[in-house]
Amino acid sequence: MLLKLQTKNYAFFEDLDITFSDRLNVITGESGSGKSLFVKALQTLMGEPQNTMKMNEDSMIQGYLVVGDTIRKSLREHGIKVDEELIVTVSFQNKRLIYRINGIMVPKEFLRNLSRDLFVFHTQGSQSKLFSNSFYMDLIDQFVDAQLLESYRKKFKTYFELLEKKKKYLNGVSNILKRKDYLSFQINEIETFSPSSEEEKTLNSKYSMMLNSKKIRESLAYALELIRTGDKSIYDILNDLKYMISSLNQEPLKPLVEKLNILIDGVEDWRYEAEKIFDEAEYSDEEFERLTQRLNGYQLLKKKYGSDVDSILRNLEDMRKELFELENIELELENIDEKLETLKIDLQELALKIREKRRKVIPTIERSIKKHLNDLKMKDAEIKFELNELNDFAMNGLDEIKLVASMNPGIPEAPIAKIASGGELSRIMLAIELAISERIGELSLIFDEVDSGIGQRIAEVVAKKLKEVSKKHQVLVVSHLPQIPLVADKHFVVQKASMENETRTFIKELNESERIVEITSMFGESFEDIKSKIEKFIRLN
């Protein structure tokens, strides 16, 4: 139950602070004054933000509510301590709405779910629900065992997910085969190469050493060739020069011969040292080619499967797992089929139990709706819920529910969307919601323009109905017909005022004398002619 609603800097409202009765609360006002803003504020508070509403960083909506044991238990399970009363707040921060319950931030979806246990909203255009079969299903299922429905829906969710998984497998058989072949090729390529971080490190070290040896040997081989081999080797040239000079046997040339001997010995020593270094620089064309090819293989694997050996091996493991899963699809399909068969048996049993519950509750609801339609001057109207059997499981079982009606005697039953006028649709929707209110728990009923499409002739009946319902439920009504505020326990009026080139909206609770003036104005009759009647009626009620 809503005790109080407060707003700050919300839409065009002047800041509100309204306290409600636990029975019938009625809001009136001129057309376009903003009566429905109150309902929109309440919807925003309960997790259904209205896009047309103007909010900024200073905006706030706050509601004080009384809740029962079931809601208190649910809130405690979510870590929110609450006694009989709770405070729900929505504020606008960083361009988004922030929701809190007793100061604890909660998701918007949490408020939406909580709202279903607190309020029933009948807003403008609610009769459009009459065009939806899902509305009828939800309506009937309010009176079916909730645990039974929940059990079925959980199993159906599992059943549907398994069907989708099976469908995905079957639709992708050709792709699966291609993927298996490709994975097998990749895995074989890596496993055949058998990469190892240690091996790569060793190969790089050997390759660097052998490349260095190759350069040394290539350089020394050319130098040694100049010294000892060929027709014009340094060694031969020096020996020929020595022979030519020494054969002259001239005393002045002897020092030159000695120097040539020194040069020849130096060349010989250099050759000895160079040959030693050459021999120690181990090199093999075959081994160098093997190292080069192996290292090129590592580079190719890195281009395909990872930036280093560790990532290649991780990808190899992932590919093995994927291949294993693909190779076990047949087994998985068998397991899925087994689970589906078991679920079908369970779903069939639960669906039949749900159907039986629906069949039992439908006549009771039909009678209740019919009673209210009679009161609403639609005695000739006959309504009937058709429960049709489906061929396959759906979220709500094996049933589909439709509402058919006949507006006049002798006229065949048909979907009401095809045969009912706008006013008739409004009254049918009102009759349905009144029938529901007789069987629901401690919910507050919110009616925005409940009398839309209803004329003065039926307004008194609607007023009596709402007054009767308010004995069991808190009722908040936005109305434009005077008969309804006439029986209100609390009467509020919405007014517009221009302030400094800005239009502001006020909601004010009326005292007895103010109510008389407002209701008289709504009747459209002269004040003196009707004042005494209204005054007497209000005091009697």
Side-chain angles (χ1 to χ4, degrees):
M1 181 179 69
L2 181 64
L3 293 178
K4 180 184 286 191
L5 182 70
Q6 297 175 320
T7 68
K8 177 184 177 185
N9 200 19
Y10 174 72
F12 303 107
F13 275 130
E14 193 66 16
D15 293 350
L16 300 181
D17 190 344
I18 311 171
T19 301
F20 297 97
S21 163
D22 60 354
R23 293 202 170 186
L24 180 59
N25 302 267
V26 180
I27 300 172
T28 63
E30 295 291 336
S31 295
S33 61
K35 298 188 296 295
S36 294
L37 286 177
F38 153 73
V39 178
K40 293 182 186 297
L42 188 54
Q43 287 176 305
T44 299
L45 181 69
M46 298 313 298
E48 294 287 352
Q50 306 300 298
N51 295 330
T52 57
M53 294 301 93
K54 175 187 172 186
M55 296 187 74
N56 56 41
E57 294 294 326
D58 297 325
S59 298
M60 182 273 292
I61 307 171
Q62 186 162 273
Y64 294 76
L65 302 103
V66 176
V67 295
D69 292 338
T70 302
I71 293 178
R72 287 201 295 272
K73 181 181 178 182
S74 175
L75 290 170
R76 286 173 186 142
E77 288 173 353
H78 287 82
I80 301 174
K81 292 182 179 180
V82 60
D83 294 321
E84 188 176 348
E85 296 181 8
L86 61 87
I87 302 172
V88 179
T89 308
V90 57
S91 56
F92 193 80
Q93 298 175 15
N94 299 322
K95 299 182 179 180
R96 60 189 291 262
L97 295 175
I98 305 298
Y99 294 89
R100 292 183 173 85
I101 297 178
N102 288 0
I104 298 175
M105 193 178 298
V106 295
K108 178 170 62 178
E109 191 60 35
F110 185 85
L111 260 300
R112 284 179 179 171
N113 293 332
L114 183 66
S115 176
R116 297 187 187 106
D117 296 323
L118 290 170
F119 300 102
V120 174
F121 286 93
H122 176 111
T123 58
Q124 296 181 43
S126 286
Q127 60 265 31
S128 62
K129 296 177 184 177
L130 297 174
F131 307 150
S132 169
N133 290 339
S134 63
F135 169 69
Y136 304 130
M137 180 67 74
D138 292 341
L139 189 157
I140 299 300
D141 282 350
Q142 289 184 65
F143 312 108
V144 174
D145 187 336
Q147 289 185 339
L148 183 61
L149 289 167
E150 182 65 19
S151 178
Y152 173 87
R153 286 167 182 160
K154 282 183 178 179
K155 287 184 180 292
F156 176 78
K157 182 181 178 183
T158 303
Y159 176 78
F160 181 78
E161 288 172 351
L162 285 173
L163 280 179
E164 288 297 302
K165 190 173 183 180
K166 180 180 179 179
K167 182 180 177 181
K168 181 181 177 181
Y169 282 160
L170 294 176
N171 288 342
V173 167
S174 61
N175 291 331
I176 288 170
L177 293 175
K178 290 178 183 178
R179 182 63 178 165
K180 281 176 62 179
D181 290 342
Y182 185 55
L183 284 172
S184 297
F185 167 79
Q186 290 180 307
I187 291 168
N188 181 65
E189 184 176 27
I190 298 173
E191 288 181 341
T192 299
F193 190 87
S194 188
S196 159
S197 296
E198 288 300 319
E199 186 204 29
E200 185 187 25
K201 184 178 179 181
T202 301
L203 287 173
N204 278 316
S205 178
K206 286 185 177 180
Y207 179 83
S208 296
M209 290 174 60
M210 193 162 284
L211 182 62
N212 191 49
S213 294
K214 182 182 181 183
K215 291 177 180 178
I216 291 172
R217 288 171 69 90
E218 286 174 350
S219 299
L220 290 180
Y222 178 70
L224 289 171
E225 183 178 358
L226 290 175
I227 291 172
R228 288 298 304 264
T229 61
D231 296 335
K232 296 295 183 180
S233 68
I234 295 173
Y235 189 82
D236 289 342
I237 290 171
L238 288 174
N239 275 302
D240 288 346
L241 184 59
K242 174 186 172 184
Y243 175 76
M244 181 183 69
I245 294 174
S246 62
S247 65
L248 294 175
N249 200 19
Q250 295 293 321
E251 190 64 28
L253 297 176
K254 284 184 179 181
L256 294 177
V257 172
E258 288 300 321
K259 288 182 179 181
L260 284 170
N261 284 330
I262 292 171
L263 284 173
I264 291 169
D265 289 342
V267 169
E268 190 67 19
D269 288 343
W270 189 93
R271 180 188 64 79
Y272 173 79
E273 291 294 332
E275 286 179 345
K276 183 179 178 182
I277 293 171
F278 183 88
D279 291 338
E280 289 175 351
E282 296 182 5
Y283 175 78
S284 163
D285 286 336
E286 293 79 5
E287 180 63 12
F288 187 74
E289 180 65 21
R290 187 190 72 80
L291 290 172
T292 301
Q293 290 182 359
R294 186 70 180 164
L295 287 171
N296 286 340
Y298 271 95
Q299 293 305 313
L300 183 62
L301 285 183
K302 289 178 183 179
K303 286 182 180 179
K304 290 183 175 181
Y305 306 116
S307 60
D308 53 40
V309 173
D310 288 340
S311 61
I312 291 170
L313 294 176
R314 284 195 299 270
N315 287 331
L316 173 63
E317 188 60 30
D318 291 341
M319 287 186 281
R320 283 171 176 162
K321 289 178 181 178
E322 185 180 353
L323 182 61
F324 177 80
E325 291 175 358
L326 294 176
E327 288 174 342
N328 284 275
I329 279 181
E330 288 187 9
L331 180 60
E332 179 66 14
L333 282 171
E334 290 178 8
N335 290 335
I336 289 175
D337 284 336
E338 289 178 6
K339 291 177 181 178
L340 286 173
E341 288 304 315
T342 301
L343 281 169
K344 281 181 182 179
I345 295 171
D346 294 342
L347 288 171
Q348 181 79 17
E349 181 180 349
L350 291 169
L352 292 177
K353 288 181 180 179
I354 292 170
R355 177 179 294 163
E356 187 61 28
K357 298 280 187 182
R358 287 169 178 158
R359 282 177 173 163
K360 287 181 179 179
V361 76
I362 282 174
T364 303
I365 296 175
E366 287 175 342
R367 286 193 296 271
S368 181
I369 294 172
K370 175 60 178 172
K371 172 181 173 295
H372 290 295
L373 285 175
N374 290 344
D375 295 340
L376 292 167
K377 310 303 182 185
M378 291 182 69
K379 293 182 178 181
D380 292 333
E382 296 291 337
I383 62 100
K384 179 181 178 183
F385 289 99
E386 288 186 346
L387 193 150
N388 302 316
E389 298 180 8
L390 300 175
N391 295 324
D392 200 359
F393 299 110
M395 178 59 76
N396 293 306
L398 283 168
D399 303 325
E400 179 186 51
I401 297 178
K402 297 181 179 180
L403 183 65
V404 295
S406 171
M407 296 294 102
N408 297 290
I411 303 298
E413 292 175 343
I416 59 172
K418 295 182 179 180
I419 60 173
S421 65
E424 288 171 332
L425 288 174
S426 294
R427 280 183 279 173
I428 291 171
M429 189 67 200
L430 179 59
I432 289 173
E433 291 183 330
L434 290 171
I436 293 172
S437 70
E438 295 172 356
R439 302 173 64 88
I440 58 178
E442 297 179 359
L443 294 176
S444 296
L445 309 180
I446 317 296
F447 293 95
D448 184 10
E449 301 289 1
V450 65
D451 37 28
S452 177
I454 294 174
Q456 295 281 350
R457 188 169 59 89
I458 305 172
E460 187 176 342
V461 176
V462 174
K464 289 179 179 178
K465 289 280 183 188
L466 294 173
K467 187 68 174 179
E468 182 182 346
V469 170
S470 70
K471 294 176 182 178
K472 295 182 179 179
H473 304 277
Q474 182 187 45
V475 180
L476 294 89
V477 181
V478 175
S479 177
H480 69 276
L481 293 177
Q483 290 86 347
I484 295 176
L486 200 57
V487 297
D489 292 285
K490 277 199 174 187
H491 184 182
F492 304 88
V493 67
V494 179
Q495 298 173 328
K496 277 186 176 180
S498 296
M499 303 170 59
E500 299 179 357
N501 298 321
E502 184 180 10
T503 300
R504 303 296 292 173
T505 299
F506 300 82
I507 296 183
K508 176 185 178 183
E509 182 180 350
L510 302 180
N511 58 33
E512 184 176 310
S513 60
E514 290 169 332
R515 286 183 67 190
I516 293 169
V517 173
E518 171 69 8
I519 295 170
T520 300
S521 174
M522 293 176 72
F523 271 111
E525 300 184 27
S526 66
F527 184 80
E528 291 300 329
D529 289 345
I530 200 169
K531 175 186 174 185
S532 60
K533 294 179 183 179
I534 294 174
E535 190 173 9
K536 181 179 180 181
F537 190 92
I538 288 175
R539 286 172 179 167
L540 288 174
N541 283 273

